[in-house]
């Protein structure tokens, strides 16, 4: 039986026009549900609002109207401190460009979410190393992001996203910048997370074969999902 993880209701988002023109309406009444332990692909043309929606679902941005419900908690109503804490515990983000901190090593980048939430250094490092072993990048642990290949950077990002064992991974075109071999590695890891760890994944993707493998495909069109 499927169990609900996340529910978005009546999401609207517009951006003001800096030149005084009418606001740009990006999302107009988006409704969706994410079930536990499933992979959902979000597809849609460039500029259709996929990243905007993902940011709102992950509490990185606020909707103009509507709610983002985790159980009975509406995260769109949380203040920024509460939201930061909520994200740190419950959501892992993976972006097209890795957003790793350049001055830290791979293992430090991975351990960071745990250190921020108050986990002691030794425990955080041990867990980070376990994740690196699982993703076959342990021998790169003291490399800085610029000393890693694109595929390795993205595996570090995935490990960082998993550091606090979140229930949901939000991935915005995580393979958009990778060659075929590395794309396959990252996708296999995402599917393994579902199958082995029961993690839910919400994935923005352009690749048809990925969308087809997922449990649910949602298409954003004209600001909404039918
Ligand atoms: P997608 O990820 O589907 O390509 P986005 O969600 O990034 O689309 O953007 C949707 C639309 O909103 C685009 O037309 C984009 O130009 C616009 N947009 C995104 N972010 C902003 C912003 N901060 N200010 C103004 N317009 C924005
Ligand atoms: Mg985008």
């Amino acid at each position: 039986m499927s169990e609900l993880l996340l529910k978005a209701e009546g999401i609207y988002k517009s951006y003001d026009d800096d030149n005084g023109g009418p606001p740009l309406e990006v999302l107009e009444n988006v409704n969706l549900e994410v079930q536990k332990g499933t992979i959902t692909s979000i597809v849609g043309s460039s500029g259709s609002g996929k990243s905007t929606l993902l940011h709102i679902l992950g509490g990185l941005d606020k909707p103009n109207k509507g709610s983002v419900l985790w159980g009975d908690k509406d995260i769109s109503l949380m203040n920024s401190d509460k939201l930061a804490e909520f994200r740190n515990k419950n959501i892992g983000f993976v972006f097209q460009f890795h957003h790793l901190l350049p001055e830290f090593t791979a293992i430090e980048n991975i351990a960071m979410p745990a250190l921020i939430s108050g986990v002691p250094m030794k425990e955080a490092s041990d867990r980070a190393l376990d994740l690196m072993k699982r993703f076959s990048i342990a021998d790169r642990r003291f490399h800085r992001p610029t000393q890693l290949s694109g595929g390795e950077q993205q595996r570090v990002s995935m490990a960082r996203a998993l550091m606090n064992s979140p229930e949901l991974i939000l991935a915005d075109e995580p393979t958009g910048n990778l060659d075929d071999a590395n794309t396959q590695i990252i996708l296999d890891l995402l599917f393994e997370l579902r199958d082995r760890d029961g993690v839910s994944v919400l994935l923005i993707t352009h690749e048809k074969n990925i969308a087809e493998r997922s449990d649910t495909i949602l298409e954003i069109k004209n600001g909404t999902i039918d």
Side-chain angles (χ1 to χ4, degrees):
M1 247 244 341
S2 62
E3 203 184 329
L4 188 65
L5 176 67
L6 173 71
K7 184 174 180 167
E9 284 182 331
I11 302 290
Y12 286 77
K13 180 72 181 177
S14 62
Y15 292 109
D16 290 332
D17 185 307
D18 290 341
N19 300 313
L24 177 69
E25 310 286 347
V26 179
L27 302 177
E28 297 183 277
N29 196 20
V30 171
N31 297 280
L32 64 83
E33 291 185 350
V34 177
Q35 309 295 329
K36 286 188 182 172
T38 61
I39 298 204
T40 302
S41 286
I42 298 181
V43 299
S45 55
S46 176
S48 59
K50 302 181 297 295
S51 296
T52 300
L53 176 62
L54 204 80
H55 292 166
I56 289 172
L57 295 175
L60 293 172
D61 201 356
K62 300 254 188 207
N64 296 98
K65 206 165 96 182
S67 42
V68 179
L69 299 163
W70 283 68
D72 54 7
K73 266 192 270 197
D74 184 348
I75 69 166
S76 62
L77 299 177
M78 287 182 186
N79 68 32
S80 59
D81 285 352
K82 272 261 171 287
L83 203 47
E85 191 187 327
F86 182 86
R87 278 196 307 264
N88 178 265
K89 285 210 178 83
N90 298 287
I91 307 173
F93 293 91
V94 185
F95 299 98
Q96 179 174 2
F97 300 100
H98 55 73
H99 295 287
L100 297 170
L101 299 170
E103 65 275 37
F104 291 95
T105 62
I107 192 165
E108 288 167 341
N109 267 283
I110 295 168
M112 201 64 74
L115 297 173
I116 287 170
S117 69
V119 173
M121 178 64 89
K122 171 81 172 79
E123 198 183 323
S125 303
D126 288 350
R127 163 129 177 102
L129 185 58
D130 283 346
L131 286 164
M132 294 191 93
K133 286 179 183 157
R134 178 167 170 190
F135 293 174
S136 311
I137 44 174
D139 55 343
R140 301 287 193 274
R141 61 185 171 282
F142 301 123
H143 287 227
R144 289 176 203 279
T146 53
Q147 300 168 326
L148 298 168
S149 73
E152 288 164 352
Q153 289 168 348
Q154 220 41 334
R155 277 181 276 166
V156 171
S157 303
M158 293 262 297
R160 178 185 56 179
L162 289 171
M163 188 65 201
N164 287 344
S165 306
E167 279 192 289
L168 177 66
I169 297 284
L170 295 178
D172 193 346
E173 303 192 41
T175 62
N177 215 11
L178 300 179
D179 60 26
D180 288 349
N182 279 300
T183 293
Q184 204 49 53
I185 290 170
I186 295 296
L187 293 177
D188 288 346
L189 288 173
L190 286 172
F191 280 85
E192 188 190 300
L193 286 176
R194 175 193 66 184
D195 297 338
R196 204 175 109 178
D197 306 83
V199 172
S200 304
V201 180
L202 202 55
L203 173 71
I204 295 177
T205 182
H206 276 124
E207 285 160 85
K208 200 158 175 279
N209 61 329
I210 306 168
E212 281 168 351
R213 268 175 76 191
S214 51
D215 301 295
T216 308
I217 305 177
L218 303 175
E219 183 178 8
I220 303 195
K221 215 168 151 181
N222 303 322
T224 196
I225 293 172
D226 288 326

